[in-house]
Amino acid sequence: MSEVGTVVLAAGLGSRFGSAPKLLAPLDGKPLVRHAAEAALEAGPRPVVVVLGAHAEAVRATLAGLDLIRIENPDYRTGLASSLRAGLAALPPRCTGAVIVLGDMPRVTAAHIDRLVSAFTEAAATPAAVVPVQDGRRGNPVLLNLRRLGEEIGRLAGDHGAGPLLRGRPDVLEIPGDTATALDIDTPAGLAALSRGPA
């Protein structure tokens, strides 16, 4: 039986967004990172680990009252890979898989997360990962098989996640994505456009 946890990555500097902390920018009355954390908690996988780094205290305060395991990545400046490794290390050993949720993707819902888990657990042959795809492009969140990828993830470095490990692998299961799985917020203009547009 596969057991799956969730890791919310919320440690980055968000330097393209400007001087204000990107993950604290409001959308529909709540900060971007709160959207991501609440979606993770509304989905099935447990526990939910959130990785803090830049602006850790402010992000921690924004997530007050939520049933999250909060950890800090002291090496967050080295890039996304270190936060991914830190988050996965905080999951209990029973977890054979992990859904990786990015803190700047506010339209991802619990349904997106649960769809990944269903695909993982119901696949005839257990995949190395499950990824959403829209218009031929892979998006997020993704589900990683920790038994299959754990050692390779442990060797990751730099400012990228598991994407390079999954490229070209025949054992990656692709499922249909949508606009939410392709939309991350990188700039104030991007946030303003999302605020003006339909949900």
Side-chain angles (χ1 to χ4, degrees):
M1 180 68 180
S2 299
E3 292 201 41
V4 179
T6 298
V7 174
V8 179
L9 298 178
L13 284 162
S15 54
R16 283 184 288 174
F17 197 81
S19 57
K22 174 175 71 171
L23 294 180
L24 303 182
L27 176 69
D28 301 336
K30 68 179 74 169
L32 292 179
V33 69
R34 182 102 185 181
H35 283 275
E38 289 181 353
L41 288 170
E42 288 166 12
R46 289 292 185 278
V48 179
V49 173
V50 62
V51 183
L52 308 173
H55 317 292
E57 289 311 309
V59 174
R60 187 188 298 274
T62 292
L63 299 176
L66 299 183
D67 185 20
L68 302 163
I69 296 173
R70 298 161 179 81
I71 66 164
E72 289 195 35
N73 172 22
D75 300 321
Y76 69 89
R77 290 183 182 276
T78 65
L80 186 65
S82 65
S83 292
L84 175 61
R85 292 196 312 271
L88 294 178
L91 290 175
R94 70 174 186 273
C95 287
T96 59
V99 177
I100 310 303
V101 176
L102 304 184
D104 62 355
M105 297 188 71
R107 294 304 189 213
V108 167
T109 67
H112 292 103
I113 295 169
D114 287 335
R115 202 172 300 135
L116 293 170
V117 177
S118 295
F120 181 63
T121 57
E122 295 169 9
T126 304
V130 184
V131 301
V133 177
Q134 185 195 31
D135 297 331
R137 297 187 63 182
R138 290 178 171 179
N140 285 286
V142 301
L143 190 154
L144 303 177
N145 181 334
L146 303 181
R147 299 290 184 263
R148 190 88 51 91
L149 297 172
E151 288 187 15
E152 295 174 76
I153 292 170
R155 294 192 292 269
L156 282 174
D159 197 24
H160 53 72
L165 303 182
L166 307 182
R167 205 167 290 129
R169 288 186 69 127
D171 55 355
V172 172
L173 175 60
E174 296 184 339
I175 65 172
D178 57 27
T179 55
T181 62
L183 175 71
D184 62 341
I185 303 299
D186 287 326
T187 64
L191 178 60
L194 183 60
S195 299
R196 290 193 302 271

